[in-house]
Amino acid sequence: MSEVNRSAPPPVGGWTRFVTARPRLALLAALVITALAVFAGSGVADRMGSGGWQAPDAESTYATEVLAREFPASQPNLLLLVDSGSATVDDPAVAAEAARLTERLKDEPGISGVGSYWETASPALRSEDGREAVIAARIGGDEKTAGETLDRMAPAFAGERGPVTVSLGGPVAVQHEMQTIIQEDLLRAELIALPVTLVLLVMVFGSAVAAMLPLGVGIVAILGTNAVLRGLTEITDVSVFAMNLTTALGLGLAIDYALFIVRRFREELAGGADPRTAVGTTLRTAGRTVLFSALTVAVSLSAMLVFPQYFLRSFAYAGIAVVLLAAAAALILLPAALVLLGHRINALDLRRLFRRRKESPEGAGEEASPGRGWARLAALVMRRAPVFAVVTTVGLLLLGLPFLGVKFGTADDRQLPAGAESRVVQEHIRDGFPGSPSGGLEVLAEGQGSPAEYARLKDRIEQLPGVLRVDGPVTGDSVAYYSVLPEGEAVGEKTQQLVQDLRAVPAASLDTSVTGAAAVLVDSKDAIADRLPWAVGIIVVVTLLLVFLLTGSVLIPLQAVVLNALSLTAMFGAVVWVFQDGNLSGLLAFTSTGDIETTLPVLMFCVAFGLSMDYGVFLISRIKEEYDRTGDHEHSVTFGLRHTGGLITAAAVILAVVMVAIGTSRVTNTKMLGLGIALAVLMDAMVVRGLLVPAVMKLMGRSTWWAPAPLRAFHRRFGLSEGDTVPADVVTPEAPGGRGGPGEAEPAADTASDAGASLAEPARR
């Protein structure tokens, strides 16, 4: 066996030298950039949209645009609900006031297509009890312009107006109110998450100084991402919902990465290294894992770019930006701060105020004998590996069973809290009016049609099952449209089938297209179904490649994909059981619509899968490093769980706290996103990483590390490794009880912490 020098530290790389040589300059530059980001990102939420669920290239989107251009009255997005109180809407005083409101509305800039019950006498615009009626109009422009128009004109119309009371509703009012509530809720979530996170970090680190660093990294990542999103709003649509992901991932992942790096740095100090050497070793070991983890999370989020809906694409923009910025802050700013702080990283040990603790000999302030509980858990799981593997897998699958009954729908006013004005208006219309003034289905007919052709097309539409009434055609210049009132719910399964039937109706020389809420839903589902295989394929293929580069194994990447997918079953089952079926709706304060918005499962899958890979990388990289050093498979699994179990658990709890804070939102989709991902994160960290991974790796044995010869050669040349470990096929492990075997004594640095035990032990040996 050749002699290997493990005592000399590895050479300082160019990046490490840059970060450690001028730490004050690096921090000053970061401060300036952050200040610019605050300025650049100001007002970003006001420029975001609250829609984005429609596929821009879909038939329904095309038909909506043509109707809005040619027949503004056919696509009302603003509804004024006129309540006549004890009188009826046909009372002369009520009718006179309604006429004045209608004329004033027609004179408002940006308003077109104004119509009312008092002008048309349409029964669809009058409530069944005769106490309420509707003035319908269309606000033109994009979401931002429409919101500004609504803000300008609302004070002049809403409220008590003579003998009537006017309330504003319609899609544009719902979206605008939703955007406002999301901004308010996000601020509240940040006020909840930041202090709770700081307390948890103090509990993990002990030192208040160490605890502040991860929080600072998270804030820098959030501010930087806001600036990126502000720039993107100049060139594309961005959903306001993405702001929630920015906060959650910015805090969660930045804290994850900073936890890993700060822990490693403190251990290097505890092992006797000076601050600059400790930072260099930390970047070569923990820094590589952080970079690799960030790439895996970014890949999972980037898969949403294949979908045409800007709602999903917005989360990819925000997610990729915040992940990369969090990693950059953790790998650039944090090391510079650590060089300057040195041993003062352990200052202000606040845990002394609450309990007496045994100080480690190195003064890091951590408890001795870390990870014993995780080591005992790993040993127990591997002794009963078949039992734990089967029971855990079956349990996760059972938790996911409700998802088999998922029903997909579209977001509506019931996303808002019960007292929201626009929701109240929509509920009155939905429950008290014979039809929907802003809905139904519209059939657009283009071409030089004769009156006879228009009549034949109307007859064919009326004969379709599920059609209650057909109005029209309303004709224009080589274009006409029909309004179709379905018998069933606006976006129910029968109405969705009616959309398909309408699109199949022969129309001779006319080109027809169908729009309406149900048509938008059908097209959205089709767009997601078409692109979903590509998104899943991107995630799976890139994950397999990245994990192979980390491990050199063919089986571990497959295991990672399967176990990550299993970790999401509880989340998907809970989403259906709670939010679709309405269980716990009273406790969580939301209204179940009986379905799940079509894009939400895709979003939750991409985010939760990426976060699962984040924790998986932390565990796998540690197991791989120890296996390379010792060649002992079971010992390496125990060692990896012992020295990352605390880190993963602490990181998962902190991220779950942030997601639960997001889940306190009054908007149902945001609540679902926050609480669902919090559950997925905790299940992955505590069940999959703690029980299923060691059980499966025990069952697979040394074959876990198998790869064919060509791939082994590829990995030796291009693969990623932690630190400067020497593979087990070069350095022969000693017998059990000696150095490198299962019975080896823990080095001094490992007494520093369970959560962040050293990944650079071989270099010090």
Side-chain angles (χ1 to χ4, degrees):
M1 180 183 70
S2 61
E3 194 68 27
V4 178
N5 181 7
R6 294 182 181 273
S7 59
V12 177
W15 185 253
T16 302
R17 186 184 304 111
F18 171 79
V19 172
T20 59
R22 296 177 178 83
R24 288 183 177 82
L25 180 60
L27 291 178
L28 178 61
L31 181 63
V32 172
I33 293 172
T34 303
L36 292 174
V38 172
F39 174 77
S42 61
V44 60
D46 295 332
R47 300 185 60 83
M48 291 179 161
S50 54
W53 292 282
Q54 303 91 343
D57 56 349
E59 176 181 318
S60 58
T61 304
Y62 169 78
T64 298
E65 292 172 350
V66 174
L67 287 171
R69 183 178 66 249
E70 301 291 338
F71 307 101
S74 71
Q75 296 281 294
N77 56 12
L78 174 66
L79 304 178
L80 276 63
L81 181 67
V82 180
D83 186 344
S84 60
S86 59
T88 69
V89 295
D90 296 314
D91 182 272
V94 172
E97 181 61 29
R100 283 194 293 271
L101 289 171
T102 302
E103 292 304 315
R104 284 176 54 197
L105 191 60
K106 290 178 180 179
D107 293 335
E108 285 286 331
I111 303 291
S112 61
V114 180
S116 72
Y117 162 74
W118 294 273
E119 289 182 336
T120 65
S122 170
L125 299 179
R126 180 180 182 273
S127 67
E128 294 175 345
D129 65 4
R131 306 287 182 182
E132 296 173 323
V134 167
I135 302 173
R138 180 168 187 83
I139 299 181
D142 57 20
E143 291 179 10
K144 182 177 182 296
T145 303
E148 292 173 349
T149 301
L150 183 64
D151 281 336
R152 188 192 70 244
M153 52 82 58
F157 289 87
E160 298 287 340
R161 302 294 165 189
V164 301
T165 301
V166 180
S167 303
L168 303 185
V172 70
V174 170
Q175 291 181 358
H176 189 60
E177 194 162 9
M178 187 179 299
Q179 184 175 17
T180 301
I181 290 175
I182 287 174
Q183 293 180 49
E184 296 171 353
D185 290 348
L186 182 59
L187 177 60
R188 187 181 69 251
E190 291 172 345
L191 294 176
I192 294 172
L194 287 173
V196 175
T197 297
L198 181 59
V199 170
L200 291 174
L201 287 170
V202 170
M203 293 173 62
V204 172
F205 284 119
S207 163
V209 174
M212 289 298 295
L213 293 176
L215 206 58
V217 171
I219 292 173
V220 169
I222 292 171
L223 295 176
T225 303
N226 286 344
V228 172
L229 293 179
R230 175 64 176 80
L232 287 171
T233 60
E234 297 291 338
I235 58 176
T236 188
D237 294 318
V238 181
S239 172
V240 70
F241 285 94
M243 294 287 293
N244 296 288
L245 186 69
T246 297
T247 295
L249 290 186
L251 281 177
L253 288 178
I255 288 171
D256 284 1
Y257 300 154
L259 267 173
F260 204 51
I261 287 175
V262 172
R263 285 291 195 181
R264 178 55 32 74
F265 175 74
R266 297 176 82 193
E267 290 166 9
E268 296 299 327
L269 291 182
D274 65 87
R276 290 182 186 274
T277 302
V279 167
T281 305
T282 298
L283 287 177
R284 281 189 299 272
T285 55
R288 292 183 184 180
T289 299
V290 165
L291 180 59
F292 186 86
S293 173
L295 290 175
T296 59
V297 177
V299 165
S300 294
L301 296 173
S302 68
M304 287 185 284
L305 292 173
V306 306
F307 296 101
Q309 294 94 332
Y310 85 74
F311 174 80
L312 288 174
R313 298 174 69 88
S314 298
F315 283 92
Y317 303 147
I320 294 171
V322 78
V323 168
L324 297 181
L325 285 171
L331 296 175
I332 301 173
L333 307 184
L334 187 56
L338 293 176
V339 170
L340 294 176
L341 285 172
H343 289 277
R344 287 173 293 179
I345 190 70
N346 299 315
L348 299 179
D349 188 354
L350 300 183
R351 293 191 300 192
R352 295 175 184 270
L353 300 176
F354 302 100
R355 62 184 176 89
R356 296 176 60 86
R357 299 179 304 120
K358 181 179 177 181
E359 293 282 345
S360 71
E362 297 76 22
E366 304 291 343
E367 299 177 16
S369 301
R372 297 295 186 189
W374 291 103
R376 287 194 294 269
L377 176 63
L380 172 63
V381 170
M382 288 194 287
R383 280 199 304 271
R384 300 287 186 270
V387 174
F388 278 96
V390 172
V391 171
T392 304
T393 301
V394 171
L396 290 172
L397 292 175
L398 288 175
L399 290 174
L401 283 180
F403 193 71
L404 296 177
V406 66
K407 297 178 181 178
F408 295 110
T410 186
D412 61 19
D413 58 279
R414 287 168 289 183
Q415 293 283 314
L416 295 171
E421 179 182 353
S422 59
R423 174 176 172 174
V424 171
V425 170
Q426 296 301 119
E427 287 178 338
H428 276 248
I429 293 173
R430 186 164 45 243
D431 299 335
F433 284 65
S436 173
S438 62
L441 298 171
E442 287 80 33
V443 178
L444 176 69
E446 297 177 280
Q448 296 292 338
S450 65
E453 285 181 299
Y454 286 136
R456 283 194 297 271
L457 179 57
K458 182 175 182 178
D459 289 340
R460 290 166 182 163
I461 293 174
E462 289 177 329
Q463 293 171 11
L464 293 175
V467 173
L468 184 63
R469 188 179 75 244
V470 180
D471 295 327
V474 178
T475 58
D477 185 15
S478 301
V479 63
Y481 79 94
Y482 304 83
S483 294
V484 181
L485 185 64
E487 290 180 348
E489 298 179 4
V491 293
E493 293 183 1
K494 290 183 179 179
T495 308
Q496 293 179 53
Q497 181 57 51
L498 177 58
V499 171
Q500 305 288 9
D501 295 340
L502 286 169
R503 288 174 172 174
V505 170
S509 62
L510 298 173
D511 294 326
T512 62
S513 51
V514 181
T515 188
V520 170
L521 175 58
V522 168
D523 291 340
S524 179
K525 290 165 64 174
D526 289 344
I528 289 175
D530 288 343
R531 308 293 178 89
L532 188 60
W534 287 99
V536 173
I538 290 171
I539 292 175
V540 170
V541 170
V542 178
T543 297
L544 292 175
L545 175 61
L546 290 175
V547 177
F548 170 76
L549 291 175
L550 177 67
T551 64
S553 164
V554 170
L555 298 181
I556 287 182
L558 296 173
Q559 170 191 305
V561 169
V562 173
L563 297 189
N564 279 6
L566 272 176
S567 72
L568 308 185
T569 54
M571 175 186 72
F572 284 125
V575 161
V576 171
W577 189 78
V578 174
F579 290 96
Q580 175 179 297
D581 299 341
N583 297 292
L584 306 180
S585 59
L587 177 64
L588 298 178
F590 71 92
T591 300
S592 172
T593 59
D595 51 45
I596 301 297
E597 205 286 316
T598 312
T599 58
L600 257 293
V602 175
L603 167 63
M604 297 175 76
F605 170 80
C606 292
V607 174
F609 190 94
L611 294 174
S612 296
M613 279 305 305
D614 185 44
Y615 300 136
V617 166
F618 289 162
L619 177 58
I620 290 172
S621 63
R622 194 57 190 268
I623 294 174
K624 172 65 165 67
E625 181 214 354
E626 186 65 8
Y627 182 75
D628 280 350
R629 190 180 63 81
T630 67
D632 189 317
H633 176 68
E634 291 187 26
H635 162 69
S636 300
V637 175
T638 302
F639 187 92
L641 189 60
R642 173 173 182 172
H643 292 285
T644 61
L647 169 67
I648 291 173
T649 302
V653 169
I654 291 172
L655 181 56
V657 165
V658 178
M659 296 307 305
V660 169
I662 297 296
T664 63
S665 173
R666 293 167 290 170
V667 176
T668 305
N669 275 355
T670 305
K671 189 187 300 287
M672 186 190 313
L673 176 67
L675 298 181
I677 293 179
L679 176 62
V681 165
L682 293 176
M683 291 295 293
D684 181 78
M686 297 180 180
V687 177
V688 174
R689 305 300 156 197
L691 301 177
L692 198 52
V693 168
V696 170
M697 295 192 81
K698 165 66 175 179
L699 293 175
M700 294 173 65
R702 288 178 62 92
S703 62
T704 299
W705 309 101
W706 176 84
L711 290 181
R712 288 200 303 272
F714 179 86
H715 180 263
R716 279 194 294 270
R717 183 172 181 181
F718 299 106
L720 176 70
S721 63
E722 286 290 357
D724 300 286
T725 56
V726 181
D729 58 355
V730 177
V731 180
T732 305
E734 298 185 18
R739 181 176 296 275
E744 68 170 324
E746 296 295 338
D750 285 337
T751 66
S753 166
D754 166 27
S758 174
L759 285 178
E761 293 168 275
R764 293 199 300 273
R765 292 192 179 106

